[in-house]
Amino acid sequence: MNGGLRHILLALLLLTGLNPAHAAEPIKIGSFLSVTGPASFLGDPELKTLQMVVDEVNARGGVLGRPVQLIHYDTGGNASDALRYVKRLIRRDRVDLIVGGTTTGDTLAVIPEVEREGVPLISLAGAIEIIEPVKKWVFKVAHTDRMAAAKIYEDLNRRGLTRVALITGDGGFDKSGREQLRQLAPEYGIQIVADESYGNRDTDITTQLTKIRASDAQALINFGFGQAPAIVTRNVAQLGIDLPLYQSHGVASQTFIDLAGPAAEGVRLPAAALVVAEQLPDDDPQKPVLLSYKNRYEAQHGPVSTFGGHAYDGIMIALAAVERAGGTDKAKVRDEIEKTQSFVGTSGIFNMTPEDHMGLSLDAFKMVEVREGVWTLVENAD
Amino acid sequence: MLEQLFQFLVTGITVGSLYALVGLGFALIYNASDVVNFAQGEFVMLGAMTAISLVAVGFPLPLAAVAAILITIGVGLALERFAIEPSLGASVVTTIIITIGAAIFLRGVALLIWGKDFHALPAFSGDAPIHLGGATLLPQSLWVMGATVLLVVLVRAFLNKTLLGKALLACSVNRAAAQLVGINVRVMLRLAYGLSAGLGAIAGILIAPITFSSYEAGIMLGLKGFCAAIIGGMGNPMGAVAGGLLLGVLEALGAGLISSGYKDAITFLFVLMVLFFEPTGLFGHKSADRV
């Protein structure tokens, strides 16, 4: 640590009335994630990432010379548990800021509490409602489903396709995605000619797809996650439906290709750059960040996922804000998070403003396509 | 429209035979002990996941399948020996709760071993769809249907034609009397758990190429299989198969003709109606018939 910083730190300690024996007081980062339960495939890589980053930062001597302490509770995807744990994080554990909320439901449940208590929250969930309207203490780092819908429609416009069929699951992510697709359709001149749903645990979706086959759709959009989109993809092939199939960013992983097998060939979806890190041009500013995170994560845990990437972006933005704020004063940290500019994360380049508490643009999504069993970057396709 | 209807029916029968295959295992344990084994779905999951792991490390599919069935039978026997047998004589409700606990335990162990990802097993005879008129089905569905027919015939013959099978039935009719005529009730219980674990594993391996598998896969399959078994009449293997097919066709027609959003509501409404008007199931024996 350099001398200047030490003086600033000492001044801060004097100001807050602490004696130097507390100089190593940890920076407490609270977290509540769905590590078990239906959203566990999101929460699990998120927690592993947070732990990895905290260990790395502490091995380098911490932030502002203070160690970073992660306090985490598993919500199991239950919104009322999320609220209970956030109250505990704020009142008993006295955390300095919170990174978390794997799902939109978990995050929305705790917003009133963090707003009242004035604790900065960086959510890892998708829905736009989290930051719209803007809430003083709440930020998010994951792409919104509206961005995914817009990206898909952009690609449809490029290919000159206007009539689409929707097929979505019965989960929150699916429904919210369906809502965005329906809302944005007129803006892009898209007409929705069929709108089917399925249960996320269904084992066969050929019935709904048979109805879609009978419509005059030119493309098929499936918004969902878990195994159901892979079953949809297989059933589309089984029924011989020869339409372009779009999936959502919810299945942007190798697992989807492994499950859907040869039927996945030609499937397109908007994905975070992490999925195609190696294929990015060398001058892409995200490339070194992505490869570094990917290699570090994979050395410890196996295949990386974009959801772990959200946790990486969240905690890195948080720690950078603490460093700029020169301490853990909650209001200062909040202001610094809001001033996050040109931060290169795994999900894109963040430029937050008082009006935009996410700071990602549509460029953050890359359109990718399955070619010969791997996600391949589609650039200005067709 | 006719072509669509035909596809709905084919889909219904495909899905229905999955449910039937799982329902069969429920019927068997119920026959031996009057207990609904809620860990039956977990046997299905264990069979599938074990086979997937063995194929992944390089075993040929048939060998992996046999090994997975044997391992799952081992788990079924262990469950009977260490969880069911110590509580022999406890009420049926207690035993059912024990099986629910066992199901949660098995799911937890599977989570630790295999993690949370979904896994797929390669289809036995390729993925090229078979065209039937205007409808298509996967070759794997034929495997499932064929195995369902074969297994139900075997289970029925075993229960009705062999001394061992009759002894098994006798235990559920009157355990004390069965013991008096020299039937070893403990051995029969072990047999029932071993067999239904084996049946579950076979079901899991056959359907894994279609539905994929994960540590949680047993919950949904167990629930649907259980519905199949109660629609058909608990304890009647033929009934479980008929119940499964009925459930599958109903789901497909409900989703196809009415609305895919109400698919499950339609199915569960039907299950409720069956329980309301025909509490022993559509094909169940009245309790007096057994004597």
Side-chain angles (χ1 to χ4, degrees), chain A residues 34-38 40-41 44 170 195-199 201-208 210-211 213-214 226-228 230-231 234-235 237-240 255 258-260 262, chain B residues 3-4 7-8 11 14-15 18-19 116-121 127 129 131 134 136-138 209-212 215-216 219-221 224 252 255-261 263-264:
Chain A
S34 306
V35 182
T36 58
S40 60
F41 69 101
D44 187 55
D170 60 357
D195 185 4
E196 293 289 326
S197 73
Y198 56 82
R201 290 177 190 275
D202 284 0
T203 52
D204 188 302
I205 301 154
T206 48
T207 312
Q208 292 90 324
T210 303
K211 287 163 86 175
R213 185 172 60 177
Q227 89 279 33
I231 294 181
R234 281 191 171 197
N235 287 167
Q238 180 197 334
L239 291 173
T255 316
D258 293 344
L259 290 179
Chain B
E3 201 175 87
Q4 274 195 41
Q7 176 69 52
F8 295 161
T11 300
T14 308
V15 178
L18 306 184
Y19 299 163
K116 289 159 188 157
D117 276 341
F118 287 94
H119 302 271
L121 197 62
D127 287 315
H131 294 268
T136 52
L137 82 169
L138 293 173
I210 303 179
T211 64
F212 312 133
Y215 78 105
E216 284 188 314
I219 302 177
M220 193 283 294
L221 290 170
K224 291 289 169 73
L257 300 179
I258 305 173
S259 154
S260 44
K263 179 173 60 77
D264 285 333

Side-chain angles (χ1 to χ4, degrees), chain B residues 59-233:
Chain B
F59 279 75
L61 188 60
L63 195 63
V66 172
I69 294 167
L70 292 178
I71 290 171
T72 313
I73 290 177
V75 173
L77 291 175
L79 169 68
E80 195 282 335
R81 177 65 193 82
F82 297 111
I84 306 295
E85 218 169 280
S87 65
L88 207 62
S91 70
V92 169
V93 175
T94 314
T95 319
I96 289 177
I97 292 171
I98 290 174
T99 68
I100 295 176
I104 295 170
F105 171 75
L106 289 176
R107 226 175 289 148
V109 172
L111 173 61
L112 290 179
I113 299 178
W114 290 293
K116 289 159 188 157
D117 276 341
F118 287 94
H119 302 271
L121 197 62
F124 296 3
S125 24
D127 287 315
I130 299 168
H131 294 268
L132 272 181
T136 52
L137 82 169
L138 293 173
Q140 189 67 24
S141 303
L142 292 180
W143 278 94
V144 174
M145 291 175 204
T148 310
V149 171
L150 186 69
L151 287 175
V152 75
V153 169
L154 285 179
V155 167
R156 206 174 144 85
F158 169 72
L159 288 178
N160 294 335
K161 299 275 160 57
T162 66
L163 195 61
L164 207 58
K166 287 180 181 171
L168 197 73
L169 273 182
C171 292
S172 85
V173 175
N174 189 325
R175 189 174 286 173
Q179 207 150 18
L180 281 177
V181 297
I183 297 171
N184 188 333
V185 174
R186 282 168 193 263
V187 171
M188 288 300 129
L189 260 184
R190 271 176 222 172
L191 184 69
Y193 275 85
L195 272 181
S196 54
L199 275 182
I202 295 173
I205 294 164
L206 284 167
I207 65 187
I210 303 179
T211 64
F212 312 133
S213 198
S214 74
Y215 78 105
E216 284 188 314
I219 302 177
M220 193 283 294
L221 290 170
L223 188 70
K224 291 289 169 73
F226 176 62
C227 285
I230 52 173
I231 289 177

Side-chain angles (χ1 to χ4, degrees), chain A residues 187-301:
Chain A
E187 211 175 296
Y188 288 85
I190 301 281
Q191 190 193 351
I192 295 170
V193 294
D195 185 4
E196 293 289 326
S197 73
Y198 56 82
N200 278 347
R201 290 177 190 275
D202 284 0
T203 52
D204 188 302
I205 301 154
T206 48
T207 312
Q208 292 90 324
L209 291 170
T210 303
K211 287 163 86 175
I212 287 175
R213 185 172 60 177
S215 72
D216 61 346
Q218 295 170 318
L220 190 58
I221 304 176
N222 177 205
F223 224 91
F225 58 42
Q227 89 279 33
I231 294 181
V232 170
T233 308
R234 281 191 171 197
N235 287 167
V236 166
Q238 180 197 334
L239 291 173
I241 300 176
D242 197 18
L243 299 177
L245 173 60
Y246 287 84
Q247 293 283 351
S248 72
H249 51 306
V251 293
S253 68
Q254 189 61 36
T255 316
F256 169 77
I257 298 180
D258 293 344
L259 290 179
E265 217 44 39
V267 167
R268 284 192 179 188
L269 55 76
L274 190 58
V275 177
V276 285
E278 282 91 353
Q279 300 170 26
L280 292 174
D282 283 331
D283 58 352
D284 191 302
Q286 265 187 283
K287 190 168 185 174
V289 175
L290 293 168
L291 287 180
S292 152
Y293 167 65
K294 188 175 152 113
N295 293 337
R296 275 142 66 201
Y297 186 90
E298 289 186 348
Q300 289 183 26
H301 301 296

Side-chain angles (χ1 to χ4, degrees), chain A residues 24-80:
Chain A
E25 172 111 355
I27 294 167
K28 287 185 179 175
I29 297 195
S31 183
F32 63 108
L33 302 169
S34 306
V35 182
T36 58
S40 60
F41 69 101
L42 308 168
D44 187 55
E46 286 169 358
L47 179 60
K48 284 176 178 158
T49 300
L50 290 184
Q51 282 163 340
M52 180 184 87
V53 170
V54 167
D55 288 347
E56 284 172 2
V57 168
N58 284 336
R60 284 199 304 265
V63 173
L64 303 171
R66 293 165 63 180
V68 178
Q69 184 190 357
L70 179 69
I71 304 169
H72 171 262
Y73 297 110
D74 175 13
T75 68
N78 186 332
S80 63

Side-chain angles (χ1 to χ4, degrees), chain A residues 7 18 26 43 56 58 80 102 181 195 228 257 297 310 316 322 350:
Chain A
H7 285 125
L18 291 173
E56 284 172 2
N58 284 336
S80 63
T102 298
L181 285 166
D195 185 4
I257 298 180
Y297 186 90
H310 297 323
M316 294 310 277
V322 169
F350 291 86

